[in-house]
Amino acid sequence: AVRVAGPMADPGYGGLVAESDVVIVTVPISETLAVLRRIAPLLRPQQLLSDFTSIKAAPLEAMLASPASVIGCHPLFAPMASPAGQNVVLCPQRPGPWLDWYEGFFRRHGMQVVRLEPAEHDEAMAFIQGLTHFINIVFARTLQTRGARLEQILQVCSPVYQVLFAILCRILSGDAHLYGQIQASNPNNPPVLEEFLVNGRAFLDVVERQDWPAVYGIFNEAAAYLGDFKGVAREESDFLIERMTEYLARRRER
């Protein structure tokens, strides 16, 4: 059985913790450490303590103050009808006897499980979440501040850019508090975002000066870094573009 308790239903969480074999903390990022510190003394060595927070280093440090087994968890997807095919990161810090059970639960539901150390996870999230969200939020902000005519833009852009626009709108359809806390909570984010801005300014500088060898050089160096991933991604993006093209055609027919 699964039991859920919020601050109004169980302010101390004592009853929930005492009656549970597995305790998973999934609250706003800004509240995670306070909740973990509150429940840590209530746990027993036989229990598993986990979380669904999108950062791992600080929450896991707080969880290790409890006597329970500790496995950090980050499901990398939003709520959906079926989680099959989605990725889940596990950070086993003191897994005890629970790791096979926990990993098996996700695999039985068709999810891909990756094990990472907390620092590895947070570094990866600076790119996967921090930089990706930052780019899309600033993209949308620029559309707004430039007064872009969205309907006109969508009429003339190709399906590949409509896929990008769909991802942009998917992110900006989310909760501002969640996305804001993801930006602010990971200490790995600011250096990555700062380097992105430095690289953007440098690229803009050579474009404005029409220094074509420098423009081509930056492009080719970045492309070379991606290596063989480009070929795989090309096939994947071709698939997305084909599906988007079919979808747009059906929508026009309606």
Side-chain angles (χ1 to χ4, degrees):
V2 176
R3 292 185 57 198
V4 179
M8 300 302 294
D10 188 355
Y13 304 109
L16 179 67
V17 171
E19 298 174 11
S20 300
D21 294 319
V22 178
V23 176
I24 299 175
V25 174
T26 173
V27 298
I29 300 171
S30 59
E31 304 297 325
T32 298
L33 295 182
V35 172
L36 288 171
R37 289 166 182 156
R38 187 186 310 164
I39 68 172
L42 307 175
L43 286 145
R44 304 182 303 276
Q46 297 80 12
Q47 294 171 297
L48 169 64
L49 177 60
S50 185
D51 72 318
F52 285 172
T53 319
S54 60
I55 57 170
K56 290 272 81 77
L60 279 164
E61 183 179 355
M63 284 190 274
L64 288 170
S66 78
S69 295
V70 172
I71 303 174
C73 180
H74 184 190
L76 288 161
F77 55 94
M80 55 185 59
S82 171
Q86 300 297 322
N87 293 332
V88 175
V89 174
L90 292 183
C91 297
Q93 294 301 283
R94 191 170 60 215
W98 289 98
L99 185 56
D100 288 344
W101 173 85
Y102 207 20
E103 187 171 295
F105 172 84
F106 293 113
R107 293 194 186 279
R108 285 193 300 274
H109 287 82
M111 289 170 265
Q112 308 296 317
V113 178
V114 179
R115 297 184 190 179
L116 292 177
E117 290 298 314
E120 293 176 324
H121 169 276
D122 290 355
E123 182 179 2
M125 288 307 112
F127 296 99
I128 295 169
Q129 293 185 319
L131 182 57
T132 301
H133 296 171
F134 183 86
I135 290 170
N136 281 277
I137 293 167
V138 175
F139 190 162
R141 181 67 164 171
T142 305
L143 291 171
Q144 176 213 341
T145 58
R146 294 293 296 180
R149 298 171 61 185
L150 298 182
E151 290 185 4
Q152 183 182 74
I153 290 173
L154 288 172
Q155 284 178 345
V156 297
C157 74
S158 63
V160 61
Y161 296 107
Q162 291 193 313
V163 170
L164 295 176
F165 188 78
I167 294 171
L168 167 75
C169 291
R170 182 180 181 88
I171 290 173
L172 271 292
S173 297
D175 180 76
H177 293 88
L178 172 61
Y179 282 88
Q181 289 185 26
I182 287 173
Q183 287 291 309
S185 63
N186 188 344
N188 293 274
N189 284 350
V192 170
L193 302 182
E194 182 61 37
E195 189 154 351
F196 171 77
L197 294 175
V198 169
N199 288 328
R201 175 54 62 182
F203 191 56
L204 176 59
D205 179 63
V206 297
V207 169
E208 288 179 332
R209 290 190 284 106
Q210 297 189 11
D211 183 349
W212 303 123
V215 170
Y216 306 149
I218 291 173
F219 182 96
N220 288 329
E221 287 177 13
Y225 173 76
L226 296 175
D228 294 339
F229 290 106
K230 294 197 300 295
V232 175
R234 184 87 183 191
E235 293 181 6
E236 295 172 344
S237 61
D238 283 345
F239 174 82
L240 292 175
I241 293 164
E242 290 170 5
R243 300 291 83 75
M244 176 62 83
T245 302
E246 294 169 358
Y247 169 77
L248 294 172
R250 291 196 301 270
R251 192 170 71 181
R252 283 193 293 270
E253 291 173 359
R254 294 198 298 267

